[in-house]
Amino acid sequence: MTVTEAATLARGARLDADVVVVGSGPAGLTVALDLAGRGIDVLVVESGGRGVSPEARDLDRGEVVGEPLRFAEAPYDTSSMRLRVLGGASGHWAGMCRPLDDLDLRARPWIPGSGWPIDRADLEPWYRRAEATLDLGTTGWDPEAWYERCGTSALLPGDRLTTTIFQFSPPTRFATDFERALEAPTGPRVVVGATAVDVALDASGRRIDELTLRRADGGTLTARATTIVLAAGGLEVPRLLLAWDGGRGVATSSGLVGLGYMDHPHRTAGQVRATLGSELPPLYAWGDAPGDGAPAKVWAGWSPTPELQEAEGLGQAVALLRFTDALTGATAEPTAVTDAMGRLVSWTIDPAVHRAVVTVRAEHWPGPGSRVTLGTDRDASGLPRLRLAWRPGPEEERTMRRTVELLAEELGRAGLGRVEVDPRGRPLAEGPLEIGCHPMGATRMGDDPSASVVDPDLRAHDVENLYVCGSAVFPTSGHANPTLTVVALAHRLADHLAGDAG
């Protein structure tokens, strides 16, 4: 089917489908393409257009309270970190991927609110599909496999830190890389420029009868389907659930919609001065990995082992060495994120010494202090603007500090160099705290309707035909970038909706 501009449709037009997907980012288009490929009639509605526009960007503007938002040493707001356009945030994504670890999905007694209702084995088949969707290599995530591929060994062997592997998608741009599938006669129908501003529930209050879609000119359309999939992104999902049904909210009986918001806190932790010869082993230098098999861009860092995390009550974290690289391809949308990524510079090389900026990121512990709520101002579509509070606490600070301490101790133990604090002499805790532009949580999944918003199949506990897909359903964040897990969950949901789960 072709991609249609909502402005070309008659005012008041009704769009019917088997499944309506709200949002056209990695989650929404993965679900839509999977289902359409099985002969299911799918309609995707996207608030943005084919390209970024000031009007669409303004719909993402909100109020920030709590910790100020910063990314790559620049101030941010809620419109900087999102992308309301066909293809969603994949349009400015850097492509960094890693699955969640088994530990991330387990209940950890020292982290309140931890524990997913599924385990890593439940996600494994869909991770394999997500890796293919995102054009990742085939070497996997085991450090030993990468040591063999690169002809090297662990830079810091020991029992306190483990090597953590990240791979990079080219990156996949969903609007362009899947353009042929979207335009095919068997593809999903896509309507852009249509904001899902409200829903009408049936008499029981347990099913969505109809979606109201608003165009930029104020005209409205309606959409009806047996199943609704809300895949509008980690910030927009809780905002819409809170605002829908005339402001009464949808799927809100637990009182948890908007609570438990997470984004990975980052800090620049100083620099490594290490006599390593002329080159850092390629695994740790964010470059093209040598060896046989599919080409791959890889970046490895160091994380406290699960045993040490449990013994010291830490969250997940990773320390990485930053350097200059072309992070985004020519097809990336020119946004604040792509501008900031170009400023990530770290390597300064002299004949004898490498200096590398150390960056550390931590898991954001779920809790009530960080949340998405509705403000009093309304945007051009008539929806209340979101109000975002992001407040990492002492647990994240302690985890980041301990991770850098371990890196310094292990580098010294191996005789490879030392970690210095920021060249300006600031302790780690006084450096600017930054976000990862990884909005997660606020619509958590779980078995208990009183303690979660959606069930393990991503269906809203309160609404029989509403599913939520994306990073908003994460109960905990781990330290891995969320996109790979988002796409895996989307493949899993599509299988469930098509009756092929299991």
Side-chain angles (χ1 to χ4, degrees):
M1 299 294 181
T2 58
V3 178
T4 302
E5 299 279 348
T8 65
L9 300 174
R11 286 185 176 231
R14 194 177 102 176
L15 309 171
D16 293 321
D18 295 327
V19 178
V20 169
V21 178
V22 178
S24 71
L29 286 188
T30 297
V31 171
L33 289 167
D34 276 7
L35 293 177
R38 300 174 192 184
I40 295 172
D41 181 19
V42 181
L43 171 68
V44 179
V45 293
E46 166 58 50
S47 177
R50 289 178 177 267
V52 174
S53 70
E55 295 79 12
R57 295 298 301 279
D58 183 71
L59 298 179
D60 286 332
R61 186 169 54 83
E63 180 184 2
V64 175
V65 298
E67 185 73 29
L69 304 183
R70 293 181 63 85
F71 178 68
E73 303 180 359
Y76 260 47
D77 59 29
T78 59
S79 66
S80 302
M81 58 196 291
R82 298 196 277 171
L83 199 56
R84 192 179 291 251
V85 67
L86 182 64
S90 74
H92 64 189
W93 179 45
M96 194 170 179
C97 291
R98 178 176 173 79
L100 294 171
D101 296 330
D102 177 66
L103 180 68
D104 294 322
L105 278 68
R106 298 206 312 257
R108 289 165 281 170
W110 63 97
I111 299 183
S114 62
W116 290 47
I118 56 178
D119 60 27
R120 175 59 190 273
D122 291 326
L123 280 178
E124 201 63 32
W126 291 283
Y127 269 136
R128 301 291 79 77
R129 280 175 46 192
E131 289 163 11
T133 299
L134 298 177
D135 294 315
L136 297 177
T138 58
T139 305
W141 309 97
D142 181 3
E144 296 295 333
W146 285 97
Y147 300 151
E148 181 177 354
R149 176 170 179 170
C150 296
T152 187
S153 58
L155 191 63
L156 296 175
D159 59 2
R160 300 199 300 170
L161 290 177
T162 184
T163 297
T164 301
I165 301 292
F166 292 87
Q167 293 186 58
F168 283 79
S169 168
T172 301
R173 306 287 183 216
F174 276 72
T176 53
D177 291 355
F178 296 102
E179 183 176 17
R180 181 175 296 180
L182 291 173
E183 297 286 354
T186 57
R189 290 177 288 151
V190 181
V191 176
V192 297
T195 302
V197 294
D198 210 347
V199 299
L201 300 174
D202 71 1
S204 72
R206 298 279 302 171
R207 294 185 63 83
I208 293 175
D209 263 349
E210 190 173 84
L211 282 163
T212 300
L213 312 175
R214 180 163 293 161
R215 308 184 314 197
D217 65 1
T220 60
L221 313 168
T222 59
R224 295 175 65 92
T226 304
T227 301
I228 310 296
V229 176
L230 179 56
L235 285 170
E236 194 70 0
V237 163
R239 178 197 183 199
L240 291 177
L241 291 179
L242 291 169
W244 277 351
D245 194 22
R248 289 178 289 274
V250 171
T252 57
S253 68
S254 66
L256 294 176
V257 173
L259 295 183
Y261 177 80
M262 299 172 287
D263 192 325
H264 294 125
H266 288 58
R267 282 197 192 278
T268 298
Q271 67 176 357
V272 171
R273 293 175 59 91
T275 303
L276 297 169
S278 60
E279 293 185 7
L280 188 72
L283 268 181
Y284 303 96
W286 195 352
D288 294 320
D292 298 330
K297 190 175 289 293
V298 65
W299 194 14
W302 299 275
S303 299
T305 63
E307 294 78 15
L308 190 142
Q309 289 181 50
E310 182 172 6
E312 299 192 11
L314 304 176
Q316 287 271 46
V318 62
L320 295 151
L321 304 183
R322 266 186 3 212
F323 67 101
T324 305
D325 194 85
L327 288 176
T328 56
T331 58
E333 293 282 357
T335 68
V337 170
T338 51
D339 290 345
M341 296 303 281
R343 295 195 296 269
L344 289 178
V345 177
S346 71
W347 276 111
T348 303
I349 301 174
D350 67 29
V353 178
H354 275 310
R355 294 182 179 88
V357 168
V358 181
T359 183
V360 60
R361 75 162 69 163
E363 174 177 14
H364 188 172
W365 293 31
S370 294
R371 61 191 303 175
V372 175
T373 55
L374 300 180
T376 55
D377 292 342
R378 293 182 179 268
D379 65 22
S381 75
L383 286 168
R385 294 192 183 275
L386 67 82
R387 191 169 186 263
L388 175 63
W390 179 64
R391 297 187 178 98
E395 298 86 0
E396 290 87 350
E397 294 284 7
R398 183 168 60 88
T399 294
M400 287 189 285
R401 183 174 63 251
R402 183 59 175 143
T403 300
V404 175
E405 289 174 354
L406 289 166
L407 177 61
E409 291 167 5
E410 294 302 322
L411 281 169
R413 190 192 308 273
L416 295 173
R418 65 183 184 273
V419 174
E420 298 177 338
V421 297
D422 186 287
R424 289 158 289 188
R426 297 176 304 187
L428 172 62
E430 294 180 10
L433 189 66
E434 299 192 332
I435 58 172
C437 290
H438 304 155
M440 299 167 285
T443 314
R444 63 180 289 140
M445 73 161 85
D447 292 309
D448 182 356
S450 69
S452 58
V453 180
V454 300
D455 70 15
D457 292 323
L458 307 187
R459 184 174 70 86
H461 291 298
D462 297 354
V463 185
E464 296 169 356
N465 65 336
L466 174 63
Y467 291 79
V468 178
C469 190
S471 57
V473 306
F474 288 17
T476 51
S477 69
H479 65 61
N481 302 58
T483 301
L484 180 63
T485 300
V486 165
V487 174
L489 288 172
H491 281 304
R492 180 175 177 267
L493 175 58
D495 282 0
H496 173 75
L497 294 178
D500 294 338

